[in-house]
Amino acid sequence: MKKDMYQFLKRFCKFFTLSFVLVAMLSITGCVGMIARGVTTGKKYSEAKTTIQPIPSGYGRLFVYLVDGGPNIINTLGVVSTCTVDRQVCEIAGKSYFFIDLLPGRHKVTSGSVNGVIGLFGAKYGKYAEDFDLGCGKTKYCRLDLNGFGAFTEIKPIMVSPSVAEQELETLPFKKFYKMKKMVRE
């Protein structure tokens, strides 16, 4: 009986140790807590730019894109992160772009960690923000830059000139953004 209990405890300790190591490794690489909601869809920007619908009358357009594949192999394969555009939470997959038509005026893009802007108690603004003015019929470009490694990766929005953005967008496929929540808290 004593020997059986010893064997059971020995197996339990091995299992617990292996489980702990696996969870630690996944959290360091950024795999824990991320949800795959789909990969990029649609044509590459270079193929689609002549067929993208014109900007609606009375609006401007914001392109948001992520040039890098992501902080780890899973994000490179299409796991998404999130950012906010004003009070909308939007998803973006590694190496893709999306666009939103907005009313003219002052706007804000925020992002934070690779796990996005979805917190324990709902959507919130990311800790990094980029404010910009958008004119009627005008187009602005925001690149999300990755800094760090794995779960410690931070995503920072950077407003980019049209000439730089057009070059960086050339090979990126379109990702229809998914509006997760409208209400965003500070």
Side-chain angles (χ1 to χ4, degrees):
M1 181 85 158
K2 202 176 199 183
K3 189 174 182 181
D4 290 338
M5 183 60 122
Y6 173 75
Q7 289 296 328
F8 171 76
L9 287 174
K10 187 175 174 183
R11 279 191 226 125
F12 178 77
C13 287
K14 280 184 182 179
F15 173 76
F16 182 76
T17 302
L18 287 173
S19 298
F20 177 77
V21 169
L22 179 63
V23 168
M25 287 175 54
L26 289 175
S27 66
I28 289 171
T29 61
C31 298
V32 172
M34 298 176 71
I35 301 169
R37 291 190 182 93
V39 295
T40 57
T41 58
K43 296 178 183 180
K44 291 181 179 176
Y45 179 78
S46 59
E47 300 164 1
K49 67 181 171 184
T50 57
T51 60
I52 292 175
Q53 69 222 31
I55 300 171
S57 179
Y59 284 83
R61 180 165 288 164
L62 172 68
F63 280 87
V64 178
Y65 65 99
L66 184 60
V67 175
D68 297 320
N72 56 50
I73 190 161
I74 291 181
N75 200 356
T76 302
L77 296 174
V79 171
V80 296
S81 187
T82 54
C83 65
T84 67
V85 177
D86 294 333
R87 297 181 67 85
Q88 298 181 60
V89 178
C90 308
E91 292 181 331
I92 188 159
K95 294 186 180 178
S96 68
Y97 75 94
F98 67 88
F99 64 88
I100 298 178
D101 295 325
L102 302 166
L103 291 170
R106 195 100 179 119
H107 298 281
K108 176 167 67 169
V109 176
T110 74
S111 57
S113 73
V114 70
N115 296 319
V117 294
I118 306 302
L120 185 59
F121 301 106
K124 60 183 173 50
Y125 287 116
K127 75 179 191 180
Y128 300 106
E130 189 71 40
D131 293 315
F132 63 96
D133 284 317
L134 184 63
C136 190
K138 301 295 182 189
T139 302
K140 294 284 185 169
Y141 300 89
C142 180
R143 180 181 65 223
L144 300 175
D145 285 347
L146 298 173
N147 298 310
F149 174 76
F152 305 105
T153 302
E154 295 188 320
I155 302 173
K156 296 180 180 179
I158 307 289
M159 296 309 289
V160 182
S161 71
S163 60
V164 170
E166 290 277 334
Q167 287 180 330
E168 293 176 337
L169 281 166
E170 279 295 309
T171 60
L172 299 181
F174 175 72
K175 164 80 166 86
K176 183 173 178 164
F177 82 93
Y178 178 74
K179 193 170 16 172
M180 296 174 68
K181 291 188 177 186
K182 274 196 168 183
M183 293 307 295
V184 178
R185 62 186 174 83
E186 294 292 331

